[in-house]
Amino acid sequence: MKISKKITIAALAMAASLYLPSCTYKNVDYSTRTVTTHGTGSVEVEADNATIEMSVLTRGQNVAEASAENAKIMTDVQKAVMSLGISKDDVTTENYSVYQETNYIDGKQVPGDYRVSNKIKIHIKKVELVSNVIDSALQAGANQLSSLNYGISDNALATKQARTIAVQQAQEAAQLIAGTSGAKLGKVLRIEELQNMDNRRNVVMMAKYASDASFETAATPIQSGKSTVTVSVDAIFELK
């Protein structure tokens, strides 16, 4: 039994030695050294168009009457807007909803008034008309202005400029890192653009009502400001 045990141990040792050569350590190749940098370029452009979202809200105990009133007011609003030169194709319905409110009296659920909402989006191609469009729509009966977005119609040149700035920034960062570490910057191996065109400026406003005392005497002051086009890049450069 002792001899057999020794033979078995020897056999296992031999078998293990046969498999050991297959477990090799792979050296990491550091012959190609690289540096990865990021660059961002932003260019401001004067806005030349705008998009407004406005709504007509009506309510009543009778759903048919509330809907009919809403339709009449919205028709007046659209006519007022288009009288300023806004194309019919630039006025679109964004949302239309009808629901019944619920009240709680003495712990009991009691049906309330019906609420009708019709939201439209108005695209204004001449930015100088924004103030007039808002005032005319509110005077015609619109009672909610949910958003005002400014944008630019042609951002090709701004995008090109932003892209150039982003690439230059990434290259300058790589040059600084290479020089600081005692290396020289080589050719670019890879560059990826992460385009983010923020060419809209959002302005959220409170609704004005025709019953306001100052509504008839003062126009809504609107300043379009500038929109921004932003381009980002990730770049990999070779180090020598």
Side-chain angles (χ1 to χ4, degrees), residues 56 58 66-79 140:
V56 172
T58 56
S67 299
E69 180 186 5
N70 192 290
K72 180 182 181 305
I73 297 175
M74 179 54 76
T75 299
D76 292 339
V77 169
Q78 294 189 19
K79 286 182 179 179

Side-chain angles (χ1 to χ4, degrees), residues 107-147:
K108 295 182 179 180
Q109 184 173 321
V110 179
D113 291 341
Y114 288 94
R115 182 183 174 111
V116 182
S117 173
N118 189 354
K119 178 190 287 188
I120 60 173
K121 177 185 287 186
I122 307 169
H123 181 58
I124 306 172
K125 296 178 180 178
K126 295 182 179 180
V127 72
E128 61 272 15
L129 292 178
V130 171
S131 180
N132 290 338
V133 170
I134 292 175
D135 290 340
S136 296
L138 294 176
Q139 287 176 348
N143 49 15
Q144 186 178 67
L145 173 57
S146 54
S147 69

Side-chain angles (χ1 to χ4, degrees), residues 187-202:
K187 63 183 179 180
V188 60
L189 301 178
R190 180 180 177 182
I191 188 165
E192 181 180 0
E193 179 178 303
L194 309 171
Q195 192 164 311
N196 176 26
M197 293 187 182
D198 181 20
N199 62 347
R200 291 158 62 99
R201 177 174 176 269
N202 180 266

Side-chain angles (χ1 to χ4, degrees), residues 210-229:
S211 59
D212 289 350
S214 60
F215 187 81
E216 297 292 340
T217 59
T220 302
I222 297 294
Q223 297 294 332
S224 60
K226 295 182 179 181
S227 294
T228 304
V229 176

Side-chain angles (χ1 to χ4, degrees), residues 1 7 15 25 41-42 56-57 63 102 113 134-135 151 157 175 179 189 197 202:
M1 289 297 292
I7 294 175
Y25 177 76
S42 297
V56 172
L57 303 176
V63 63
T102 300
D113 291 341
I134 292 175
D135 290 340
L157 178 59
Q175 186 70 55
L189 301 178
M197 293 187 182
N202 180 266

